[in-house]
Each structure stands twice: as structure tokens, then as C-alpha cells.
Amino acid sequence: MKSVQEEYRKGPWTEQEDILLVNFVHMFGDRRWDFVAKVSGLNRTGKSCRLRWVNYLHPGLKRGKMTPEEERLVLELHAKWGNRWSKIARKLPGRTDNEIKNYWRTHMRKKAQEKKRPMSPTSSSSNCCSSSMTTAATQDTGGSNVKMNQECEEDGYYSMDDIWREIDQSGSNIIKPVKDIYYSEQSCYLDFPPLASPAWESSMESIWNMDADESKMSSFAIDQFPLSFEHDRSSSWSSLL
DNA sequence: AAATGATCCAACCGCAGCGAT
DNA sequence: TATCGCTGCGGTTGGATCATT
């Protein structure tokens, strides 16, 4: 066992790490994070890899500002479910719980400040749905409203996979793959193959149990994705594709 | 142009739940 | 049934960036 504090990397991810992670997730799927972390040679915990993938690297992610419609939904669902961010996120394809959480915090802070100030005609302009907003705000503290709707998952449980699948299937043009957006700024376009399907994942099942393969995979990682390439995004990404 | 405050966002932490053994 | 390891969730923090003075 390696000591967490001295062996694992922390802090911001480098571009090289992102590349490695993306490639290994495409090879092995986004489930076995400890395995991916180990075989990729990334000095990160599985947890850290998962977070990076889910919140930043996943191709289905929608970047940029929340649309008014999304804002409305967030407010509405928060009023209904409280701080169940992942649950709320399931209703907003392409948005992550982290993103929504962050949005809400900012929103709430603004709201709190507005409350402190005396009401003015202009202050309402930034508030698209004040009624649900107020409800949510008052219910939020303590999360007392959370249980209220716990059993009202009328359409059943959605995993993140289900959501991404939906996005894929709908061929929605609302959602721009994160890499497109992120790297198009640097004039670099990426077109990853689809994620590992459960079918092929099961065919790869044996891999998960082969400890001996881990060392192979590690050397593969090093061979395929050396960590010493240029800083130039476009060249480094395109060289892998 | 510099200083300060506000906002955004990526990442970490701790905990709970779940499945495997 | 107890334990262990992994995954996912919610809360929190800190750095980067933007806006204002």
C-alpha cells in the first residue's frame, strides 16, 4: 500500500494527465476508477480520476453559462428536493452536480445580499423565478425538505450512464462535447470514439481480474502516452488521435 | 494602472451506501 | 454477519478571473 500523502498527486490536473485519463477511460470505461488510476500510471487516486472525468473531461458535458430554462429548472427542483445535487443534475443533461452546486451557491449568495438590501424595482430583473426561489431559500437550511420528495422519483433512478446514453442517442445538438468547446479555443478539435459499452466491457471482464496485466498496462501507458510532450495543445492531442 | 471585492470553478475531504468476500 | 474496498454524494476550500473603484 502506498501512503496517500506522499505518493498520490493532488491539485490541478495537467494536460498530460487529462490525455492519459481520457484514453484509459475510453479503453476501460468509466467504472473501475481505482483500476484506471493504477494502470494509467497517473499518480492520482481513483476518486480523483472519477471526479476529473465526471466534472470536466466527459464528452457529454455542456459548458458555459446556464440558460434561463436551466436556471428555472434548478430553482424548481431545488425547491422540491433540496440539496440533492446529483438528483437535480440528472434532470439537466450535460450539467454536473458540482456545477449546479456551484451555481446555487453563487445564486444564493446573491439572493441573500438582495434580501439585505431594501427592495427596489430594478432588483427583481435578475430574478427569473422569485417565487420558487424564495421557497427554496427558506427550505434549504437544514435540508428539512429533502425527505419530503425522496420517494417521488416518478421516472425511476437514472444513473449518470443513463443520462449520457440519452444524450448520445438523442444526438442532441444542444450539448457540445466538452473537448470541442474547451480545445476549440485553441483551434484543436477532438473526436473521441464512444465510451466502452457494457457489452465490450463485459468481454473485457477478465482484464479486471488480471493483476499481472496491470504492470503491462502501466508500461503501455508510458509507451503510448509519454509525459514529456510539448505544451502545444493541438500537437499533443492530435498526435494521439 | 493598481487595489480591492465579487464571482466562478476545479478539486479536495469526509461520510454513507453497496457489493464482494 | 462482519469487514473491507470502492463508488458516489454533498459540503467546503482556494485559486483564477472579472468587475469596480
Side-chain angles (χ1 to χ4, degrees):
Chain A
M1 276 305 254
K2 62 164 93 182
S3 144
V4 173
Q5 34 191 352
E6 56 182 346
E7 298 274 358
Y8 289 115
R9 254 182 64 77
K10 279 188 185 179
W13 282 65
T14 65
E15 187 191 337
Q16 293 99 312
E17 289 177 309
D18 282 348
I19 293 167
L20 263 181
L21 181 58
V22 167
N23 278 285
F24 274 88
V25 169
H26 278 101
M27 283 192 287
F28 299 116
D30 56 351
R31 272 292 177 274
R32 328 242 169 161
W33 292 111
D34 272 10
F35 178 84
V36 167
K38 210 183 280 180
V39 301
S40 63
L42 287 163
N43 253 349
R44 299 277 186 172
T45 63
K47 205 173 177 178
S48 178
C49 292
R50 176 189 163 268
L51 207 67
R52 182 63 177 173
W53 174 258
V54 167
N55 285 333
Y56 194 78
L57 296 173
H58 197 289
L61 285 177
K62 200 179 188 178
R63 313 291 293 187
K65 229 177 163 277
M66 291 260 196
T67 65
E69 175 60 18
E70 286 174 323
E71 289 181 9
R72 191 192 59 77
L73 243 181
V74 169
L75 296 174
E76 206 171 274
L77 295 176
H78 186 273
K80 210 170 157 188
W81 294 329
N83 296 2
R84 305 285 300 277
W85 304 119
S86 60
K87 192 171 175 176
I88 294 172
R90 287 178 200 126
K91 299 292 180 190
L92 286 102
R95 300 292 185 188
T96 68
D97 55 351
N98 208 31
E99 202 176 356
I100 294 169
K101 194 163 59 182
N102 282 332
Y103 165 77
W104 183 258
R105 270 176 60 83
T106 308
H107 195 94
M108 287 308 293
R109 230 179 316 183
K110 261 189 213 162
K111 203 60 207 169
Q113 279 168 1
E114 273 177 26
K115 261 188 170 177
K116 280 182 192 168
R117 284 199 297 267
M119 289 291 286
S120 73
T122 50
S123 66
S124 60
S125 60
S126 63
N127 189 355
C128 64
C129 15
S130 54
S131 61
S132 60
M133 183 55 232
T134 314
T135 319
T138 50
Q139 288 180 344
D140 183 35
T141 49
S144 60
N145 64 324
V146 170
K147 280 182 188 162
M148 192 169 72
N149 284 292
Q150 267 182 349
E151 53 284 295
C152 85
E153 299 212 37
E154 61 286 337
D155 45 6
Y157 175 79
Y158 265 17
S159 69
M160 282 304 281
D161 280 355
D162 293 329
I163 293 160
W164 302 127
R165 213 172 297 127
E166 263 184 27
I167 296 164
D168 285 345
Q169 280 169 3
S170 66
S172 166
N173 54 2
I174 303 167
I175 295 158
K176 204 161 160 54
V178 56
K179 283 296 169 190
D180 271 356
I181 293 167
Y182 184 66
Y183 287 104
S184 62
E185 287 165 14
Q186 279 80 30
S187 304
C188 175
Y189 299 93
L190 291 164
D191 187 20
F192 287 114
L195 270 179
S197 69
W200 85 260
E201 200 176 335
S202 67
S203 74
M204 296 289 285
E205 197 60 40
S206 57
I207 290 175
W208 306 121
N209 301 319
M210 292 198 293
D211 283 344
D213 275 356
E214 290 181 5
S215 57
K216 285 185 205 163
M217 294 311 300
S218 294
S219 55
F220 169 75
I222 291 158
D223 293 345
Q224 285 300 109
F225 315 114
L227 293 174
S228 56
F229 51 70
E230 305 296 313
H231 288 300
D232 175 27
R233 277 182 201 279
S234 51
S235 63
S236 54
W237 276 96
S238 56
S239 68
L240 291 168
L241 300 168

